[in-house]
Amino acid sequence: MSYTIKTAEQYKQAYQHSIEDPEGFWAEVAGHFFWQKTWDKVLEWDFRKPELKWFIGAKLNITENCLDRHLATKGDQTAILFEPNDPAAPNRSYTYRQLYESVCKTANALKANGIQKGDRVCFYMPMVPELAIGVLACARIGAIHSVVFAGFSANSLADRIKDATCKMVICSDYNDRGAKHIIVKDVVDEALAMGCDSVKTVLVHRNTGGKINWREGRDKWWHEEVDHQSHACPAEPMDAEDMLFILYTSGSTGKPKGVVHTCGGYMVYTCYTFQNVFQYEDDDIYWCTADIGWVTGHSYIVYGPLLAGATTVMFEGVPTYPDASRFWQVCEKLRVTQFYTAPTAIRALMAHGDQYVEGFDLASIKVLGSVGEPINEEAWRWYYDKVGKGRAPIVDTWWQTETGGILISPLPGITPSRPCYATYPLPGIQPCLLDQEGREIEGNDVEGLLCIKFPWPSILRTTYGDHERCRQTYFAPFDNYYFTGDGARRDADGMYRIIGRVDDVINVSGHRLGTAEIENAINTHPQVVESAVVGYPHDIKGQGIYAYVITSAPVADDNTFRHELLDAVSKVIGPIAKPDKIQIVSGLPKTRSGKIMRRILRKVASGDTSSLGDVSTLLNPEVVDEIIDGALNE
Ligand code: WT7
């Protein structure tokens, strides 16, 4: 596509254009897509409400842009290349034509089962092509998909189904992930027993084919519903601002919120950023190792790559199965050209030793990407030297579920790249740093709260069913800014380095979790009176989970109690939220107004008790020494 930036000069020009005339800039980018009707106006916005509308009055269907548009020129090109969990199993693949037909058939099956435009459909599935097909089938008919990561518990799944009042759940029978064999359908049954009355149908994809429990009338096999359908399905005309999907993400308070993205702006932005950040060219094989349960999978496994007509790899397995060379074995086998993963995976593989990456032919790799959490210098170097062999630039891409697409990132081989730096904003993005009072910090070599001054096409539109919460969380903290929740530094060259969350959100192995959510889960244990959860630096996970727990009476068996707590957290949220460390305490440091002093707890958890500051104003200063004495530091 001609809007691809190829030189530093073009980047500067595009950026300048996007700032001086955002509407003109984005109209030009949007001109590269297929619209059933073009827009009357490019943008209307008011951060204070918030009201965010892009390509007003336009009609489109994102799947016509992902699929139909490519049929004439790329019908026989591979769209999805599936790498199963079992390395000995064959690669399944879908050409653009096959994917188009599968999506249409599935869309017809959804319609036959009563799904209409605007209905919500929940997905709870492993990383198999049917997940991408199902998501696109929803988009084809204007149904709103809500994908829930299949590592979440029945409880979390039920919360999300209920919040979005989903009419259908699409799941698999089983999931083989690494050496684990998980009965996915049982988790769905368990969730549906928790009062998910809105669900009329469960569509079950036969993945491994074992025996599963069945509820007649409600449960239906994917193949029985889909296979006989016609492979033509008209694309529903969608307003640019109609909802495309809901994706739940954790915040600092309460239950996860459903971030809402809409059709037009999301399409334009994910494709534009995919094309530029990964510099995808014809015949490339692009692989993003994320799960479609997270936004990275939505934007950079499914939508961005398919919009750009790319070949996108979907990987069912895990980095360490059958051993720590799996990623590199697959890169060699599939001749991967762009590889996009998370720092936690890089650190874990690095810890297994260089022998797992050495000896593989990785010469096909042109671009390496990192996403989800800050990448430390050691991991960055290892990635660059051992995986990229010093030839492939690294793009450290900073963004969020709420931003829909990458906002700050180098362009590989075009703009400079530097360890630990997401570097410069992409065209259309106007970042700034604020101090605690909300004043903009000008100049370079400064640090502050990362905010964005101007909307971009894929900014979240609302949080599902609760617009006020969206305003409170992102737009109320600082007047007329979008607040990211991250702290950042801008160095002498104006490059951005993301430091991490400044709110009560922690990032564990690239999974975003609210400390309050974990506390609520811990507090379900009958013996727990109160708890406080903080993050602490963890060599592999980035952040580990440290829980301070007050019990109603001394625990009889320490080990049993700890296991019960871990079980409680797995049950309420999922195994990803299990604390790494649990310290039983008699009290938590509190201010006179009763607020937990998390600053102190974070310091103790990180093993740094040198500068706790003045604790004498606390309600209960005496607990601080007890907490330090009992701290679980290696
Ligand atoms: C949070 C958003 C965006 C896809 C995956 C995560 C952290 C994300 C980076 C990066 C440092 C990063 C931030 C952000 N984060 N990318 N390149 N460098 N930190 O999406 O679950 O919505 O989490 O992830 O703290 O706020 P998410």
Side-chain angles (χ1 to χ4, degrees):
M1 262 181 233
S2 60
Y3 59 70
T4 309
I5 296 165
K6 293 287 173 194
T7 64
E9 197 46 44
Q10 286 170 1
Y11 163 72
K12 282 197 193 106
Q13 280 168 6
Y15 191 78
Q16 204 57 33
H17 181 193
S18 76
I19 302 307
E20 284 164 6
D21 175 21
E23 296 192 36
F25 175 82
W26 287 114
E28 213 175 293
V29 174
H32 291 271
F33 295 81
F34 174 68
W35 302 85
Q36 296 171 355
K37 173 186 174 293
T38 51
W39 49 93
D40 305 316
K41 195 167 175 220
V42 176
L43 170 66
E44 260 175 33
W45 69 292
D46 181 349
F47 273 176
R48 294 186 173 105
K49 287 184 177 170
E51 183 179 73
L52 301 148
K53 292 184 182 167
W54 282 90
F55 309 112
I56 298 149
K59 294 278 184 198
L60 76 149
N61 188 292
I62 197 167
T63 69
E64 283 186 310
N65 286 275
C66 290
L67 302 169
D68 310 49
R69 187 169 57 133
H70 302 312
L71 292 181
T73 50
K74 298 186 166 181
D76 296 327
Q77 185 205 298
T78 304
I80 293 178
L81 181 48
F82 175 60
E83 170 71 22
N85 183 58
D86 174 3
N91 290 102
R92 255 201 293 156
S93 68
Y94 289 79
T95 64
Y96 270 94
R97 183 168 309 282
Q98 289 166 335
L99 185 61
Y100 164 82
E101 292 180 356
S102 299
V103 168
C104 286
K105 281 183 168 187
T106 310
N108 286 326
L110 296 181
K111 283 203 277 193
N113 280 282
I115 300 299
Q116 296 172 348
K117 180 175 181 175
D119 286 342
R120 275 81 56 212
V121 175
C122 177
F123 288 82
Y124 188 77
M125 277 173 95
M127 282 287 289
V128 291
E130 285 74 11
L131 172 53
I133 292 167
V135 156
L136 292 166
C138 285
R140 187 79 179 175
I141 62 171
I144 298 160
H145 54 82
S146 166
V147 183
V148 177
F149 174 59
F152 279 118
S153 67
N155 221 314
S156 294
L157 174 60
D159 283 348
R160 286 157 175 78
I161 292 171
K162 283 188 259 187
D163 188 78
T165 52
C166 295
K167 215 167 165 180
M168 181 186 271
V169 177
I170 303 186
C171 68
S172 290
D173 53 357
Y174 287 82
N175 176 8
D176 281 328
R177 205 158 176 271
K180 288 192 198 129
H181 188 62
I182 303 148
I183 314 175
V184 179
K185 173 66 162 51
D186 278 358
V187 184
V188 174
D189 287 345
E190 200 186 330
L192 294 187
M194 297 179 191
C196 299
D197 303 332
S198 57
V199 175
K200 304 290 172 247
T201 313
V202 179
L203 193 62
V204 187
H205 165 245
R206 186 179 278 164
N207 190 29
T208 70
K211 212 182 139 30
I212 48 168
N213 293 321
W214 202 256
R215 163 95 62 99
E216 279 308 327
R218 185 196 71 181
D219 300 348
K220 297 186 175 171
W221 283 112
W222 171 293
H223 56 273
E224 286 175 6
E225 298 302 308
V226 171
D227 288 356
H228 67 275
Q229 296 288 346
S230 147
H231 56 240
C233 174
E236 184 72 32
M238 302 295 285
D239 192 281
E241 283 301 332
D242 279 340
M243 272 186 214
L244 175 62
F245 67 84
I246 305 168
L247 185 57
Y248 286 84
T249 191
S250 297
S252 42
T253 54
K255 286 194 172 171
K257 37 187 178 286
V259 168
V260 170
H261 286 289
T262 57
C263 297
Y266 180 82
M267 169 177 80
V268 170
Y269 196 79
T270 53
C271 184
Y272 179 73
T273 50
F274 171 76
Q275 196 77 51
N276 283 297
V277 172
F278 298 103
Q279 292 289 310
Y280 187 90
E281 296 174 300
D282 282 347
D283 301 324
D284 279 354
I285 308 285
Y286 163 87
W287 181 16
C288 166
T289 69
D291 191 290
I292 295 176
W294 312 110
V295 74
T296 308
H298 282 64
S299 302
Y300 299 110
I301 294 178
V302 181
Y303 287 114
L306 296 178
L307 286 163
T311 298
T312 180
V313 175
M314 262 185 90
F315 176 47
E316 188 184 24
V318 296
T320 49
Y321 177 83
D323 66 37
S325 68
R326 184 68 191 272
F327 275 179
W328 323 126
Q329 182 244 318
V330 175
C331 282
E332 181 183 87
K333 178 175 71 165
L334 303 180
R335 309 304 298 156
V336 169
T337 46
Q338 288 90 357
F339 180 75
Y340 191 28
T341 197
T344 188
I346 299 167
R347 287 190 298 263
L349 297 178
M350 185 170 81
H352 277 88
D354 295 354
Q355 68 273 25
Y356 288 100
V357 59
E358 282 163 0
F360 286 95
D361 176 6
L362 302 177
S364 58
I365 295 178
K366 297 191 281 190
V367 180
L368 292 172
S370 172
V371 61
E373 41 171 333
I375 178 164
N376 50 308
E377 181 148 3
E378 200 192 350
W380 196 99
R381 296 252 172 241
W382 187 85
Y383 200 28
Y384 187 75
D385 293 337
K386 300 292 171 189
V387 181
K389 319 284 185 198
R391 286 180 295 94
I394 294 179
V395 290
D396 179 357
T397 64
W398 174 82
W399 57 298
Q400 310 176 296
T401 305
E402 295 86 343
T403 70
I406 299 165
L407 299 197
I408 307 183
S409 170
L411 300 180
I414 296 166
T415 64
S417 148
R418 180 179 300 171
C420 312
Y421 281 79
T423 72
Y424 296 111
L426 296 183
I429 305 307
Q430 303 187 31
C432 63
L433 300 176
L434 302 190
D435 66 16
Q436 297 288 347
E437 277 71 50
R439 287 179 300 241
E440 241 178 272
I441 306 170
E442 306 283 345
N444 287 341
D445 206 7
V446 291
E447 212 173 290
L449 304 168
L450 181 62
C451 291
I452 318 284
K453 286 199 244 196
F454 195 86
W456 59 98
S458 65
I459 186 172
L460 87 162
R461 300 304 196 263
T462 188
T463 48
Y464 192 78
D466 195 349
H467 195 61
E468 173 58 14
R469 190 163 175 210
C470 172
R471 193 186 71 80
Q472 284 288 346
T473 312
Y474 308 105
F475 300 96
F478 302 107
D479 183 46
N480 215 17
Y481 293 93
Y482 166 78
F483 175 47
T484 65
D486 281 325
R489 132 157 231 99
R490 189 167 53 224
D491 79 353
D493 300 317
M495 280 191 180
Y496 286 89
R497 173 182 189 156
I498 311 304
I499 298 166
R501 302 290 305 198
V502 294
D503 51 9
D504 292 319
V505 168
I506 54 178
N507 198 321
V508 182
S509 301
H511 300 319
R512 176 168 157 184
L513 296 163
T515 53
E517 256 180 285
I518 307 174
E519 288 161 9
N520 290 339
I522 291 173
N523 298 350
T524 60
H525 190 287
Q527 254 173 289
V528 173
V529 176
E530 196 181 3
S531 63
V533 166
V534 296
Y536 70 95
H538 187 289
D539 284 348
I540 305 283
K541 299 178 172 187
Q543 281 189 297
I545 305 173
Y546 196 118
Y548 298 89
V549 176
I550 305 175
T551 56
S552 51
V555 298
D557 179 351
D558 204 68
N559 214 18
T560 310
F561 176 68
R562 279 165 207 274
H563 276 106
E564 285 169 6
L565 283 191
L566 297 184
D567 285 347
V569 174
S570 289
K571 198 157 174 272
V572 177
I573 305 173
I576 53 175
K578 282 198 283 192
D580 297 278
K581 295 180 180 181
I582 299 167
Q583 182 181 352
I584 299 170
V585 294
S586 67
L588 293 165
K590 290 193 177 168
T591 63
R592 295 202 180 270
S593 59
K595 217 172 150 288
I596 298 173
M597 287 287 279
R598 289 174 184 276
R599 185 176 54 79
I600 294 176
L601 297 177
R602 275 194 286 265
K603 285 243 166 191
V604 174
S606 67
D608 169 19
T609 49
S610 58
S611 52
L612 288 183
D614 184 13
V615 299
S616 63
T617 57
L618 290 177
L619 198 63
N620 49 353
E622 69 287 352
V623 299
V624 176
D625 282 337
E626 178 210 307
I627 288 175
I628 294 173
D629 289 343
L632 302 159
N633 302 125
E634 283 91 284

